[in-house]
Amino acid sequence: AQRVTQPEKLLSVFKGAPVELKCNYSYSGSPELFWYVQYSRQRLQLLLRHISRESIKGFTADLNKGETSFHLKKPFAQEEDSAMYYCALSNAGGTSYGKLTFGQGTILTVHP
Amino acid sequence: EPEVTQTPSHQVTQMGQEVILRCVPISNHLYFYWYRQILGQKVEFLVSFYNNEISEKSEIFDDQFSVERPDGSNFTLKIRSTKLEDSAMYFCASSETMELAGGPLSYNEQFFGPGTRLTVL
């Protein structure tokens, strides 16, 4: 069974501080990992995915298969980063048609 | 920019009644999904739909649930006889196609609708 764990329900930082949102997963196959974000009163949207290896809005995430982690990092948080962040896992390989398994979500609050 | 739309935004119903939640996926997308989020809990997968049939469903998606793409644009989720525990936010999502980049098949980004809040009294 696939499972995603986000240990922090709430995370508060001050503007300009580094931020790390933790995500651990368990999956025996070949996982594909994503971070989705939901800003206040907006829909869920993709922030980044591990196969893209790109930085979006200053955020990066590295898939660490040894530690089964996919932590989201940003060196200098901005107030507009305040949102709910979800880590999600999908089965790469096509057998589950892209079904996403989500973590519980972390509410990030960036204080001025 | 095209978006997934969902109607209604909020549905209130009595226990035992049938509800139909509607979604219009992005027009060139081929994979369709329903997820739900009970208040305070995680977003959970319900069902995926491709080529006019269910490709995968979760344990939650029992005989009370059904999905349909009746006219080539709408994608509906029907709950036949609602229970109190069906109260949740229901999200529709769609994605384009699979991509094959020299490795395992990878599904394109899922685009989510704004959700329908279902309240069962």
Side-chain angles (χ1 to χ4, degrees):
Chain A
Q2 48 198 66
R3 189 165 62 212
V4 176
T5 304
Q6 293 179 249
E8 303 133 333
K9 208 164 184 174
L10 301 167
L11 187 60
S12 281
V13 299
F14 285 100
K15 178 181 165 182
V19 65
E20 182 180 47
L21 290 86
K22 292 187 167 38
C23 172
N24 288 90
Y25 67 91
S26 63
Y27 184 62
S28 55
S30 181
E32 185 165 355
L33 276 296
F34 306 82
W35 278 98
Y36 277 81
V37 62
Q38 189 171 28
Y39 300 103
S40 179
R41 285 189 284 278
Q42 293 187 29
R43 61 187 67 200
L44 263 170
Q45 56 188 278
L46 179 67
L47 180 62
L48 53 79
R49 58 198 297 189
H50 90 269
I51 62 168
S52 301
R53 298 182 176 277
E54 54 190 351
S55 171
I56 305 290
K57 299 184 180 184
F59 284 97
T60 58
D62 290 316
L63 180 62
N64 185 325
K65 290 188 178 179
E67 294 182 1
T68 59
S69 68
F70 188 57
H71 304 326
L72 183 68
K73 299 177 187 177
K74 183 168 183 177
F76 307 104
Q78 303 299 313
E79 288 175 71
E80 56 265 30
D81 296 329
S82 297
M84 173 74 101
Y85 290 81
Y86 293 98
C87 184
L89 178 154
S90 175
N91 169 18
T95 59
S96 70
Y97 293 86
K99 166 183 118 178
L100 289 171
T101 299
F102 286 88
Q104 289 273 26
T106 298
I107 299 173
L108 173 66
T109 304
V110 182
H111 299 285
Chain B
E1 190 173 324
E3 287 186 329
V4 176
T5 59
Q6 289 185 244
T7 53
S9 55
H10 192 186
Q11 172 94 48
V12 181
T13 190
Q14 296 288 328
M15 192 168 60
Q17 294 296 302
E18 174 183 287
V19 294
I20 298 176
L21 310 183
R22 290 186 166 79
C23 168
V24 179
I26 294 172
S27 64
N28 62 334
H29 286 188
L30 300 178
Y31 297 86
F32 312 111
Y33 308 86
W34 283 101
Y35 295 86
R36 79 168 186 194
Q37 185 175 31
I38 294 171
L39 189 63
Q41 298 186 24
K42 58 175 71 176
V43 177
E44 300 172 288
F45 168 80
L46 290 178
V47 66
S48 58
F49 192 86
Y50 169 68
N51 203 24
N52 276 320
E53 57 184 28
I54 289 174
S55 40
E56 186 175 3
K57 58 185 181 180
S58 71
E59 302 163 348
I60 305 166
F61 195 89
D62 61 22
D63 293 344
Q64 293 300 312
F65 291 86
S66 62
V67 288
E68 205 176 31
R69 191 154 156 80
D71 56 14
S73 63
N74 288 286
F75 178 52
T76 61
L77 174 70
K78 184 196 292 188
I79 309 175
R80 219 178 317 277
S81 175
T82 49
K83 307 186 193 72
L84 295 176
E85 53 266 35
D86 294 328
S87 295
M89 183 73 103
Y90 288 80
F91 295 104
C92 172
S94 69
S95 67
E96 201 170 353
T97 58
M98 297 185 291
E99 57 193 23
L100 183 61
L105 290 170
S106 176
Y107 290 89
N108 268 319
E109 172 184 355
Q110 289 184 29
F111 290 82
F112 282 79
T116 292
R117 181 167 298 286
L118 176 65
T119 303
V120 182
L121 302 176

